[in-house]
Amino acid sequence: MEDELEGLRAHFPLSFGKSSKVSAPIEAIHNATRRTDAGNEAGVSSDSATKKPNPGKSESGFPSLSSSSGTWLRAVRGPNRNPNSSSLAPSEDDVVIGPPPPPSKPIQEEEEEDHGVIMGPPPPPPKRLGNINDSDDDEDMIGPPPPPPAADVDSDEDEDDDDVDDTEENRYKIPLSNEIQLKGHTKIVSSLAVDSAGARVLSGSYDYTVRMYDFQGMNSRLQSFRQIEPSEGHQVRSLSWSPTSGQFLCVTGSAQAKIYDRDGLTLGEFMKGDMYIRDLKNTKGHICGLTCGEWHPRNKETILTSSEDGSLRIWDVNNFLSQTQVIKPKLARPGRIHVTTCAWDRDGKRIAGGIGDGSIQIWSLKPGWGSRPDIYVGKAHTDDITSVKFSSDGRILLSRSFDGSLKVWDLRQMKEALKVFEGLPNNYAQTNVAFSPDEQIILTGTSVEKDSTTGGLLCFYDRTKLEIVQKVGISPTCSVVQCAWHPRLNQIFATSGDKSQGGTHILYDPTQSERGACVCVARAPRKKSVDDYQPEPVIHNPHALPLFRDAPSRKREREKTLKDPVKAHKPEIPMTGPGHGGRVGTTGSSLLTQYLLKQGGMIKETWMEEDPREAILKYAEVAVKDPKFIAPAYSQTQPKTIFAKSDDEEEEVRQEVWELRASSKSFGQSL
C-alpha cells in the first residue's frame, strides 16, 4: 500500500497541497549545541579519547567483505570464472564434467607466453605473501575465504582492546555530546534541585536569589519564568524538592528555612530560636545561620536542617513554630562546632552529618534514639566536610571536603576509607558529590585555583573499580560546585560561576537523553508580530494632583526677597564682650580695671548679702509714684492697694527670725 502511495505522489508536483512551515531540522539544532572535544579543548585525559582505529576497516576507509558478501559475489560471477584463484576451487560436493583442468602456471609465465595478449576476463591481482600461510599453499581451500587480516602484526590484541573499549563505553554511557547553559545569575550558583519528573529546575546563587526554570514552557532562549529572593542579604545554600515535587525547601544563610510551593509562592517560615538560651534543646529553632537542608525521601511532611549553631533539627511542615527533634553531635571537647552538611539515606531511616571538626556522624532513627551517634568517625577529613551522600543499597557513603579529597566509605567498616581520591580542589562550602542513576559512577566538581591553568572540571569515577573514568571540562574560568545526574532525563546538571557570573550547565545526548534540554532547545522563540507592539503610554494631565506636579521654580521669589529691605536686612549682632552690671566694656583694659577694682573692694557684689525683701521694697516708692506694669490695671477698680493682714503669732515668729538672722550676721562680721 505504501509503495502505491509513493508511486501516486511521484505524479504530482512538489508544490502540490498545503505548504508546511519551514523549520530547521532537529539535527542542525543539536549540532549547534554540540560540545567540542573536551580532551583537546581543556587538556583533559579520558579513556574514550585514546581509542585505537577499528581493524575491521581497511586503510582506505572501506569495510572489509564478510563471508556472506564473498559468497554472494561468487554466485554473481559464476563458477570457475577464474581457475587460477584458489578461493574458488571446486569442493568435494561439486561434479566435474570432462577431463580435469591443466595445472595452473605462475602468472608471470603466462604473461611471458601470451606476450601481453589476454584471452577472456582479466585475471585477479596477485595475492600478497602475507595473506596465505605457507602450510596451506599446496592444499585446496574448503569453504569461503577468510577475511584479510589487518596490516598490523598485533591484530588480535588490537581487536581485543577495541572490544574492551567499546564495552566500557557502552557500559558507562555518559551523555556528554551536547551542552546548554541556563544563565541569569550574577554570582556563582551554589545550589541545585531538579524535581523527580525532570520538568522544573531550581538554582540558588550567592546573589541571594532563586531562579525557577520550566523545560516545558521554556524555548531556546533558556530564560527562567520566576525569580525570588528568600532572605534579603543572605546567600542561598541549599534547595530540595519534596517527594511529590509539589513543594520545595529553601535554606539560606539566615536562621530560618522557608517552604515554597511549586510555583514559587511562600507557604511558611520556620521559627527562630532564642539566642540567649544556652541549651540548644530548649530553643524552638536554630539561632545561627543554616548550612544545609534536605527533604525526607519518603515522608512529604518531614525536613532535616543543619546550622552553624552546632545542631541538626527535624521539622514538621505542618508546624512552623517548633522543631520535632534536636540532634546535638558528639564533640571531643565541650563547646559549639558548626554542622556543615547533612543527608538522609534512601529510606529515611538514617541521618549523616558532617561536623566542622572533620568528623562524620551517623544516627539511626529507631524508637528511643537520641543525640548519641551510632557511627562516629573522628578526623575523617582534615578540613570542613562539604557534602555526604548515601548509596541506595545502604553500603557506601561518599564524603567531600575542603581538603581537596573525595572519600568512599564502607558503612559496614568505617575505620578506614575504601578509596581516597586526591587532587580535587574545593573552595566552596556547597560542593557536593553524586551518583549516576545506576550508581556505577561517582561524579563531583572541582574549583578553579589561583595559579592553575585547568578550569572547573566534572570528574567521573567507577564505583566498582574505584578508578577515574573521565574528566570533563565545564568552564575554563569558573568553578563547578553542584552536580546531579537525573535518572529519567539521563542528563547531567552542573552549576558553575565566580564573583561576577553564574549558570547551570546541562550535558545531554540526543540519542540517549529524553525530554528536558532536548525539548526546550528544539522550541524556537515565538516571532513578534504587529499586534505585540505596545507603546509606553504618555499621559498629559494639567489638572493633576499637587503630589504629582512638578515643583515650581523658586528663582523669582528669591530675587524678590533680596530686593525687599526689610527681609534682606541683616540682623544686629547681640551684645557681646566683657562688662559688669549690664554695662559692656568698650576698652581693652576694662577687664584688668574691673579685676583691680574688685580686688580692692570698690566693686562689691551685694546680691549675696542683701535681703531679697528689702531689695524689692527699695523700689516701693518709685512704683507708687510711677506705676508701669500691674498698678495701672487696677487704678480704677482698686486705687489703694490692700495687703493681707498677718496674725500676731506669725508676726512674732517673723520677728524672731529677723533677730536671729541679724545676730548671726553681726557675729560673722566680728570674726
Side-chain angles (χ1 to χ4, degrees), residues 322-333:
S322 180
Q323 72 277 342
T324 58
Q325 181 71 28
V326 180
I327 304 173
K328 295 173 65 177
K330 177 183 177 182
L331 302 177
R333 297 179 180 178

Side-chain angles (χ1 to χ4, degrees), residues 87-120:
S87 61
L88 298 177
S91 60
E92 295 177 356
D93 299 333
D94 296 337
V95 180
V96 180
I97 300 175
S104 58
K105 298 180 180 180
I107 297 175
Q108 295 179 357
E109 295 180 3
E110 290 181 359
E111 291 178 355
E112 293 176 357
E113 292 179 0
D114 296 338
H115 302 288
V117 180
I118 301 176
M119 301 296 293

Side-chain angles (χ1 to χ4, degrees), residues 174 176 441-443 458-461 468-470 472 485 492:
I174 304 176
L176 298 175
I441 298 178
I442 303 168
L443 61 154
L458 192 61
C459 303
F460 298 87
Y461 299 92
I468 187 167
V469 174
Q470 193 171 0
V472 179
W485 193 333
I492 299 174

Side-chain angles (χ1 to χ4, degrees), residues 151-383:
D152 297 337
V153 180
D154 301 334
S155 59
D156 297 338
E157 297 179 0
D158 294 342
E159 290 178 1
D160 297 340
D161 295 340
D162 291 336
D163 294 340
V164 172
D165 293 340
D166 294 339
T167 54
E168 290 290 335
E169 185 177 359
N170 296 332
R171 175 187 176 188
Y172 295 123
K173 294 182 180 179
I174 304 176
L176 298 175
S177 61
N178 296 62
E179 178 184 4
I180 62 172
Q181 184 178 5
L182 306 179
K183 298 182 180 180
H185 289 286
T186 57
K187 291 185 180 180
I188 189 167
V189 180
S190 58
S191 55
L192 173 71
V194 188
D195 64 348
S196 57
R200 291 198 173 178
V201 180
L202 304 175
S203 63
S205 172
Y206 279 7
D207 60 2
Y208 319 132
T209 61
V210 175
R211 287 185 175 268
M212 305 179 67
Y213 301 88
D214 188 2
F215 284 127
Q216 300 299 327
M218 190 165 50
N219 54 28
S220 58
R221 293 180 180 176
L222 307 178
Q223 295 178 349
S224 61
F225 73 91
R226 177 156 296 177
Q227 177 182 357
I228 56 179
E229 187 174 358
S231 299
E232 185 177 357
H234 292 283
Q235 300 172 350
V236 181
R237 296 183 175 178
S238 180
L239 295 169
S240 178
W241 283 100
S242 64
T244 58
S245 299
Q247 303 169 350
F248 68 88
L249 167 69
C250 180
V251 172
T252 62
S254 65
Q256 297 173 273
K258 286 188 176 182
I259 303 296
Y260 293 87
D261 65 355
R262 186 174 177 82
D263 296 326
L265 302 179
T266 306
L267 299 179
E269 184 178 16
F270 291 108
M271 190 74 176
K272 182 179 180 181
D274 189 353
M275 66 178 66
Y276 297 104
I277 298 178
R278 182 66 179 173
D279 191 358
L280 296 176
K281 290 189 176 181
N282 296 329
T283 59
K284 296 182 178 180
H286 290 290
I287 62 175
C288 294
L290 302 177
T291 57
C292 187
E294 189 175 346
W295 211 296
H296 194 282
R298 304 288 185 183
N299 189 359
K300 64 179 181 179
E301 298 178 352
T302 305
I303 288 173
L304 173 66
T305 58
S306 61
S307 172
E308 295 173 354
D309 60 7
S311 67
L312 295 93
R313 296 174 191 260
I314 301 177
W315 302 82
D316 189 353
V317 179
N318 301 320
N319 182 17
F320 291 98
L321 299 179
S322 180
Q323 72 277 342
T324 58
Q325 181 71 28
V326 180
I327 304 173
K328 295 173 65 177
K330 177 183 177 182
L331 302 177
R333 297 179 180 178
R336 287 184 183 178
I337 299 178
H338 56 279
V339 182
T340 57
T341 184
C342 59
W344 295 95
D345 67 347
R346 183 180 182 182
D347 299 328
K349 297 181 179 180
R350 286 187 293 185
I351 296 174
I355 317 301
D357 57 1
S359 64
I360 297 176
Q361 303 184 24
I362 301 175
W363 295 267
S364 298
L365 277 64
K366 52 189 177 182
W369 71 285
S371 295
R372 187 176 182 85
D374 296 303
I375 298 176
Y376 174 81
V377 183
K379 297 181 180 180
H381 288 273
T382 58
D383 208 336

Side-chain angles (χ1 to χ4, degrees), residues 35 174-176 178-185 187-194 201-204 213 215 430-435 443-447 455-460 471-476 478-486 489-498 501-508 517:
R35 284 173 53 89
I174 304 176
L176 298 175
N178 296 62
E179 178 184 4
I180 62 172
Q181 184 178 5
L182 306 179
K183 298 182 180 180
H185 289 286
K187 291 185 180 180
I188 189 167
V189 180
S190 58
S191 55
L192 173 71
V194 188
V201 180
L202 304 175
S203 63
Y213 301 88
F215 284 127
Q430 288 76 33
T431 303
N432 73 330
V433 60
F435 280 107
L443 61 154
T444 186
T446 63
S447 301
L457 304 178
L458 192 61
C459 303
F460 298 87
K471 289 184 178 180
V472 179
I474 300 297
S475 175
C478 299
S479 303
V480 179
V481 180
Q482 291 271 317
C483 60
W485 193 333
H486 199 274
L489 303 181
N490 193 22
Q491 298 173 11
I492 299 174
F493 297 79
T495 66
S496 64
D498 53 13
Q501 61 179 339
T504 303
H505 298 259
I506 303 178
L507 307 178
Y508 70 98

